Amino acid sequence: MGRKSAGIAGVLAAVSLFAAACGGGEQAQQQAGQAGKPVQVTFWGWAKGTQEVVDAFNKTHKDVQITYEEIPSGNAGGYAKFSNAVKAGNAPDVMSVEYPQLPDFVNQGALQDLSSEVADVKSAYPASVFSLVELGGKAWALPMDAAPQVFFYRKDLFDKHAIEVPKTWDDFRKAAEKVKKADGEARIATFFPDDPSVLAALSWQAGGRWFGTEGDAWKVTINDAPSKKVAEYWQSLVKDDLVKVQPSFSQEWNAAFEDDTLWGYVGANWGAGVMKGNHAGQAGKWAIAPVPHWGTPASGMLGGTTFGVSKGSKNTKAAVEVIKWLTGSKEAWTARLSSGTSSGFPAVADLVPVAAKSFDAGFYKDQDIYALFSEAYRSIQPGWTWGPSMVQTLTAFKDALGKVGAGQTTIPAVLDTVQTATVEEIKGRGLNVAQQ
């Protein structure tokens, strides 16, 4: 396969070169499991509740055992650790990779093609989700969860000040004005200058398409009209001081919830566990609503995790057994959500009732939050594709977005900056880019 490969298949340049390196793994695996000893599958990850899931697996499996190492989240150093380990030839058997970064790791030759190994479970996943782990017609991981957008809000304070829960983004701005009027220090939500994944999800929801293919080339449209609309909207909220500008999950962000100066959070389903874990003293004060929309209910995906098997794994068969169990078993989801720290939404639709039963929603006054998540999941806009250089794209976003709070740039201008940087990066990798 040449460097100038066609479309998404271009991400897979040189994949065939490492296919042979994956051979022989089963023989080594059989040797590892000799003498009655279980095969040891190494696994690095960071998702909430994972230790409990690993413990449940190890208690119920004799022939395979997971050796788990919790590492920093991907953007906090986890992906760099993975990349370094792959280069050094000591990567774990199972790697936790979020949807946006999957094409990058495939491009690096870090993951094995699992198409034949996971063919028997593919039908359990909605096509719109499974397509996010397929590149060049091959499956490179299994989806663990989906991450539909939702809006968390302080129901007690909204009720006290007669503020209606916003259904549209126009409503959201009006509600933001009322929150500020009710308490000059309070704001309805936060713009995160360090987390471009939120901007991506909002653009996705609005109908934006940052990446696609056109003939034999990648099509890059990070600054398309829907994304510009989103950027201009949030720029106006920042300019008019209707939202806080704070780093995501920072000490100051959490402190604003605690001192009642932050009344809402535009996030995803997994935020339910985060809020419950970080602000236990506010139990019963929070509720969750659909994310505001532009006229028709819709959602993007904010995050989401997949599990892949590393290129150098000597335990491929056992590793595949592990990731099938981690993503698709009732026992795994019961363990993850019963931990109290995770509110994950299973990518396998049939497991949603298990998740709903396992997560204690007392913090939200027993609101049926999984029914809400399911509704949001069904409204995810189809057709989104992640590009071949998302690690670099997201880095470019962070560098530029960090200047928004100081007024050194604007969010619409950031889209233009990252558009240019991404096109240059993809071309620098020897891949074709369609003319805009």
Side-chain angles (χ1 to χ4, degrees), residues 33-362:
Q34 286 178 352
K37 296 180 180 178
V39 177
Q40 296 291 328
V41 171
T42 55
F43 169 34
W44 293 358
W46 58 83
K48 298 289 187 182
T50 298
Q51 185 61 62
E52 287 83 353
V53 176
V54 170
D55 291 344
F57 181 94
N58 287 340
K59 287 179 182 177
T60 56
H61 291 73
K62 294 181 179 180
D63 297 333
V64 178
Q65 292 282 282
I66 302 173
T67 301
Y68 174 59
E69 180 180 342
E70 183 172 345
I71 63 172
S73 64
N75 292 327
Y79 291 136
K81 184 177 175 72
F82 277 146
S83 293
N84 291 335
V86 169
K87 292 173 185 176
N90 58 6
D93 296 302
V94 174
M95 296 169 59
S96 177
V97 184
E98 293 161 290
Y99 293 105
Q101 287 79 14
L102 189 67
D104 261 310
F105 281 99
V106 173
N107 192 36
Q108 292 174 30
L111 299 173
Q112 294 190 36
D113 171 11
L114 301 179
S115 302
S116 60
E117 288 84 356
V118 302
D120 59 326
V121 297
K122 179 178 177 179
S123 62
Y125 298 88
S128 59
V129 173
F130 202 86
S131 67
L132 295 173
V133 300
E134 289 184 310
L135 295 164
K138 299 177 181 179
W140 299 92
L142 278 182
M144 182 187 83
D145 63 342
Q149 294 170 290
V150 292
F151 175 54
F152 302 84
Y153 67 100
R154 277 288 297 271
K155 188 175 188 307
D156 60 330
L157 296 175
F158 271 57
D159 289 348
K160 178 180 178 181
H161 297 283
I163 300 172
E164 292 186 11
V165 179
K167 293 183 179 179
T168 68
W169 287 114
D170 285 343
D171 295 341
F172 186 85
R173 184 182 176 90
K174 293 173 184 176
E177 293 169 347
K178 291 179 180 178
V179 169
K180 184 177 178 181
K181 183 177 181 180
D183 181 342
E185 298 297 317
R187 298 294 182 271
I188 193 172
T190 312
F191 174 75
F192 298 133
D194 65 324
D195 191 355
S197 64
V198 178
L199 185 57
L202 292 167
S203 298
W204 183 341
Q205 182 213 21
R209 296 289 180 270
W210 284 5
F211 297 93
T213 57
E214 190 172 284
D216 66 346
W218 280 96
K219 187 175 182 181
V220 184
T221 52
I222 291 170
N223 57 353
D224 63 11
S227 301
K228 274 292 180 75
K229 177 174 71 172
V230 168
E232 289 164 358
Y233 175 84
W234 281 88
Q235 183 63 41
S236 74
L237 295 179
V238 171
K239 178 177 178 291
D240 295 339
D241 191 26
L242 293 175
V243 293
K244 292 180 180 289
V245 179
Q246 298 171 324
S248 57
F249 310 106
S250 61
Q251 188 173 2
E252 61 179 310
W253 183 69
N254 279 305
F257 288 122
E258 291 297 320
D259 65 16
D260 294 347
T261 60
L262 189 51
W263 293 10
Y265 163 36
V266 178
N269 65 285
W270 49 263
V274 173
M275 295 298 291
K276 175 184 173 182
N278 291 347
H279 307 289
Q282 295 181 347
K285 297 180 179 181
W286 286 89
I288 311 176
V291 70
H293 57 75
W294 292 102
T296 301
S299 178
M301 268 223 313
L302 176 50
T305 295
T306 77
F307 296 134
V309 178
S310 68
K311 162 191 170 181
S313 174
K314 301 297 191 295
N315 300 309
T316 300
K317 183 178 179 181
V320 170
E321 179 184 343
V322 165
I323 66 172
K324 285 181 178 179
W325 194 90
L326 292 176
T327 59
S329 73
K330 294 180 180 179
E331 295 82 1
W333 279 98
T334 299
R336 185 177 298 281
L337 299 184
S338 296
S339 72
T341 60
S342 172
S343 54
F345 185 89
V348 176
D350 289 348
L351 292 174
V352 174
V354 176
K357 182 179 179 181
S358 302
F359 182 77
D360 181 358

